[in-house]
Amino acid sequence: MTLLRKINQVLVVVLVLMLYLLLYSSLLRASSRHKISGPFKKLGGTVAREMDSVIPVVICASEERMGATMATINSIRSNTDANVLFYIVTLRDAVTLTRRYIEETKLKGIKYKILEFNPMVLKGKVKPDSSRPDLLHPLNFVRFYLPLLEMKHERVIYLDDDVIVQGDIQDLFEIKLKPQHAAAFATDCDLPSTHEMVRSVGMQTTYMGFLDYRKQEVKALGINPNDCSFNPGVFVADIHEWKKQKITKQLQKSMEDNVKLNTYSSAMAGGVATPPMLIVFHDKYTVLDPLWHVRHLGWSPDSGYPESFLKKAQLLHWNGPFKPWGYPAVHTERWEKWFIPDPSRKFSLMRPESNN
């Protein structure tokens, strides 16, 4: 009986020790996890140490356009020797697909972090009234929230997923921003060759095409309707200056005002993601070298650029409805050069000879 009692006592002690170890292990794991803050949730990846000199590139990855994102990443890493760190922002339903696309392809060696965007931050800021639903995709608004990524970087590059980088991304990263400028964009009034194609497809190049100047609230902004607009699909951001000027807060206010007053709409040029950037950054941005944002490639399946001009371009952007992974489209060979087949086979090219 005494022996049995001693055995029970030993078992109790062992059980207590095991519970203590489990509790300690759980606390240790919790302390080592990334913090969740604001609209983003960090989900890990292969990363460089924060103190290393890196070029941070922010790009979104939606489930339906995953192959586009990976083509952009492939073009960047193939044309530079710089230490690039990709911040890949996606929604919860595409996290696994994003990681698999990287880990099971030639992109396995890149440095990256996957961030989950919380679309609830857009509640009350966007009206579902678009003839092009893709313009209202939550990831279109990620660019508004760059400082909330919890990155320890003073400067970042933001890229849309329908671009291909032909130059060295380090050259774009090292552009000199003017004092008190939080970002650098390419103006819509930059290249003569751009003007010719823009006119042929009826593209807008001024604020008049993005804001409803019949509204008193728009007139009160004091923005000349003939001022040149810019495309926010490619830009370099100074995070310190962005925070100092409270750019994110200004962008959110612009969206909220639009919900109430309809100062711009998705029926106008640029949908509902471009006008807030145009308003907040009016006359307060550095101009990019136009060769670092050759755009409008997706606005017509018939109008393109001369091959001699495309060779000089550092970055190509298929903004518009005719994407290079779809059909019809122009200059698809320059995009396909960087395309990596989807290991899950969910993303595929649409071509005349294709059965899909």
Side-chain angles (χ1 to χ4, degrees):
M1 195 72 175
T2 304
L3 179 61
L4 184 60
R5 193 161 46 249
K6 287 183 177 181
I7 292 173
N8 287 337
Q9 289 173 346
V10 170
L11 290 173
V12 169
V13 170
V14 170
L15 182 60
V16 170
L17 285 173
M18 289 178 65
L19 289 172
Y20 175 81
L21 288 172
L22 285 171
L23 179 61
Y24 178 80
S25 177
S26 297
L27 290 172
L28 189 64
R29 283 197 303 271
S31 66
S32 65
R33 291 191 190 116
H34 290 295
K35 294 179 180 179
I36 299 173
S37 177
F40 297 100
K41 178 179 179 181
K42 292 186 179 181
L43 301 169
T46 305
V47 302
R49 291 177 301 169
E50 293 287 1
M51 66 285 293
D52 287 346
S53 177
V54 299
I55 296 177
V57 175
V58 178
I59 186 168
C60 296
S62 64
E63 184 174 14
E64 60 273 20
R65 291 166 56 145
M66 191 65 65
T69 298
M70 300 305 162
T72 303
I73 291 173
N74 189 32
S75 70
I76 293 171
R77 64 117 192 173
S78 299
N79 288 307
T80 186
D81 293 324
N83 188 16
V84 182
L85 173 55
F86 295 97
Y87 287 86
I88 305 172
V89 186
T90 190
L91 300 180
R92 180 173 297 177
D93 59 2
V95 170
T96 301
L97 180 61
T98 304
R99 184 174 288 110
R100 181 181 176 185
Y101 215 130
I102 294 171
E103 296 298 331
E104 295 185 15
T105 66
K106 64 170 72 175
L107 297 178
K108 187 175 183 180
I110 67 170
K111 299 181 179 71
Y112 71 97
K113 291 182 180 180
I114 297 176
L115 305 171
E116 181 185 319
F117 183 66
N118 179 9
M120 289 304 295
V121 299
L122 301 175
K123 187 176 181 180
K125 301 179 180 69
V126 180
K127 292 194 299 184
D129 63 345
S130 179
S131 58
R132 284 184 60 194
D134 56 310
L135 295 178
L136 291 174
H137 196 289
L139 294 179
N140 276 340
F141 302 92
V142 165
R143 71 197 85 193
F144 294 3
Y145 298 95
L146 294 181
L148 302 183
L149 292 173
E150 291 192 352
M151 301 179 296
K152 296 183 179 179
H153 306 292
E154 295 182 359
R155 174 179 290 206
V156 302
I157 295 173
Y158 174 87
L159 299 177
D160 276 353
D161 64 1
D162 51 359
V163 311
I164 288 297
V165 177
Q166 299 187 139
D168 189 332
I169 198 73
Q170 187 163 356
D171 294 339
L172 176 61
F173 184 71
E174 292 177 350
I175 181 178
K176 185 176 181 180
L177 269 69
K178 293 181 179 179
Q180 300 180 346
H181 282 183
F185 303 93
T187 173
D188 285 332
C189 300
D190 48 22
L191 286 176
S193 54
T194 298
H195 296 169
E196 184 179 345
M197 193 173 80
V198 166
R199 283 193 296 268
S200 70
V201 297
M203 280 286 294
Q204 298 292 338
T205 60
T206 65
Y207 275 69
M208 187 181 297
F210 295 88
L211 304 178
D212 188 352
Y213 277 86
R214 296 171 299 178
K215 300 290 179 66
Q216 185 58 41
E217 292 79 10
V218 173
K219 294 177 182 178
L221 294 172
I223 299 174
N224 188 324
N226 294 316
D227 282 356
C228 289
S229 52
F230 61 83
N231 184 294
V234 174
F235 63 91
V236 180
D238 182 317
I239 298 301
H240 173 74
E241 198 65 38
W242 192 295
K243 291 178 179 178
K244 181 180 176 182
Q245 297 182 29
K246 299 181 180 178
I247 298 294
T248 296
K249 188 174 181 179
Q250 293 184 59
L251 291 167
Q252 287 184 315
K253 184 180 184 304
S254 179
M255 288 193 290
E256 291 166 354
D257 288 346
N258 182 60
V259 170
K260 300 173 186 175
L261 306 170
N262 202 31
T263 52
Y264 53 85
S265 75
S266 54
M268 300 181 77
V272 294
T274 297
M277 299 285 280
L278 293 177
I279 292 170
V280 172
F281 284 101
H282 178 251
D283 273 349
K284 292 185 291 186
Y285 67 91
T286 299
V287 177
L288 285 178
D289 179 341
L291 290 177
W292 266 106
H293 194 177
V294 175
R295 51 211 177 278
H296 312 314
L297 276 72
W299 275 103
S300 170
D302 304 311
S303 299
Y305 291 106
E307 188 61 27
S308 58
F309 175 69
L310 292 175
K311 287 180 179 179
K312 295 187 294 183
Q314 303 296 300
L315 182 148
L316 303 176
H317 188 183
W318 281 263
N319 58 308
F322 299 100
K323 302 303 183 185
W325 54 88
Y327 181 84
V330 297
H331 306 307
T332 55
E333 70 287 347
R334 287 196 169 268
W335 185 88
E336 281 191 46
K337 178 180 179 181
W338 307 110
F339 172 64
I340 299 173
D342 181 2
S344 71
R345 299 185 178 182
K346 290 185 177 181
F347 183 95
S348 59
L349 304 184
M350 186 181 295
R351 296 294 181 257
E353 66 277 8
S354 173
N355 292 324
N356 295 329

